[in-house]
Amino acid sequence: MIRATTMVMTIKTWTTIVILMMMMMPATWSQSADFGIWAGIDGEKKLTKRLNAEMNLQARTYDNASSLALWLAETGLNWEANKYIDFSLMYRYIADHSDDDGVESKHRVYGDVKGQIEISRLKLSSRIRYQHQYNQTKQNGTKEKLRNKWELKYNIKECPLTPFASAEWFAPLGDARFDIEAWRYMAGVTWKINKKQALEAAWLGERENGESINLNALSVSWKQKF
């Protein structure tokens, strides 16, 4: 009886994961889409009851995961105003290896406002980000963007796995007309190993200028609380 109950729970768990992973996947695909791997480490340290320090490292590949596209390092602060909203201010350094002329050094500062609600075992969140980026290796290398990410998570009862799906749009600022230039989709699962450690794996897809998916990536990140 216990084994049968466990099997039913396992089937329900993986059915939920598959459904949520498919929710955000667009219907159109490009046969020539590139493939990459995004691997990272995310760290978090609680400074006070509501204030956290965050540190992230990540490397991204492209050209069917055969070449390094970039690596980045970022740090900043996150303030939890209440259980519904929080604010973040971050700095990111990017070493971009994708340019044929050599490595480009980019500096990005961004601020986030994130709101979230829980409905039963579902958690819905929306994050708005303003980012300012300076490319020190190019003239007129300043760019500003507005981004909006919607994410849905499902808390499976008595299960360390949390499936999620998200969609995010990118819009450059400074133009006379507001226009979304790119979309990013993610669907995956977070495995909570213990109170301080977790592992996240996801499919990631990007498309630009209304085209079909032009990048598929496997995203893997280790999450550590200190």
Side-chain angles (χ1 to χ4, degrees):
M1 181 67 179
I2 296 177
R3 182 175 297 178
T5 302
T6 302
M7 184 177 296
V8 171
M9 290 181 61
T10 302
I11 293 173
K12 288 183 178 180
T13 297
W14 285 106
T15 300
T16 304
I17 292 171
V18 171
I19 291 173
L20 287 177
M21 287 182 69
M22 294 178 65
M23 283 177 60
M24 293 294 180
M25 293 185 181
T28 57
W29 295 80
S30 171
Q31 296 298 321
S32 59
D34 192 16
F35 174 75
I37 297 176
W38 295 17
I41 301 174
D42 302 334
E44 180 182 315
K45 172 67 176 178
K46 183 171 285 294
L47 302 178
T48 66
K49 183 178 180 180
R50 294 185 176 181
L51 186 65
N52 301 314
E54 297 183 352
M55 301 132 306
N56 305 309
L57 295 170
Q58 189 182 75
R60 301 179 183 177
T61 65
Y62 74 120
D63 195 13
N64 292 320
S66 64
S67 301
L68 177 65
L70 62 84
W71 65 265
L72 63 86
E74 66 180 13
T75 186
L77 297 172
N78 172 264
W79 180 56
E80 301 172 1
N82 52 52
K83 67 178 182 178
Y84 299 109
I85 190 168
D86 61 71
F87 302 88
S88 297
L89 182 62
M90 304 287 290
Y91 164 76
R92 174 182 294 185
Y93 172 76
I94 304 170
D96 191 339
H97 291 251
S98 62
D99 196 303
D100 294 335
D101 295 331
V103 180
E104 296 182 353
S105 295
K106 301 176 181 179
H107 305 272
R108 179 183 299 178
V109 177
Y110 64 86
D112 292 345
V113 179
K114 181 180 178 180
Q116 59 186 19
I117 59 171
E118 294 188 23
I119 305 172
S120 185
R121 309 197 72 83
L122 290 172
K123 177 183 286 188
L124 176 65
S125 66
S126 178
R127 185 204 69 198
I128 297 176
R129 170 176 296 178
Y130 164 78
Q131 67 181 44
H132 179 93
Q133 181 170 291
Y134 171 67
N135 186 341
Q136 71 179 55
T137 55
K138 288 187 175 181
Q139 292 184 342
N140 301 321
T142 300
K143 292 183 178 181
E144 293 178 287
K145 287 186 180 181
L146 188 67
R147 299 164 56 172
N148 185 209
K149 178 180 180 180
W150 289 82
E151 184 176 61
L152 183 66
K153 294 182 179 180
Y154 182 67
N155 180 16
I156 304 173
K157 187 176 181 180
E158 298 181 357
C159 180
L161 302 178
T162 301
F164 65 89
S166 67
E168 180 178 12
W169 55 255
F170 299 70
L173 299 176
D175 296 337
R177 183 172 66 111
F178 180 84
D179 190 23
I180 295 176
E181 67 175 5
W183 284 86
R184 177 179 295 167
Y185 307 91
M186 289 187 71
V189 63
T190 302
W191 173 32
K192 184 178 180 180
I193 301 171
N194 52 49
K195 291 183 178 181
K196 292 185 176 293
Q197 297 172 323
L199 180 64
E200 181 179 288
W203 164 85
L204 180 148
E206 288 187 346
R207 64 186 179 98
E208 298 179 354
N209 301 320
E211 298 178 356
S212 56
I213 291 292
N214 49 34
L215 171 67
N216 288 296
L218 171 64
S219 174
V220 181
S221 60
W222 178 268
K223 300 183 179 297
Q224 179 73 50
K225 292 184 178 181
F226 299 97

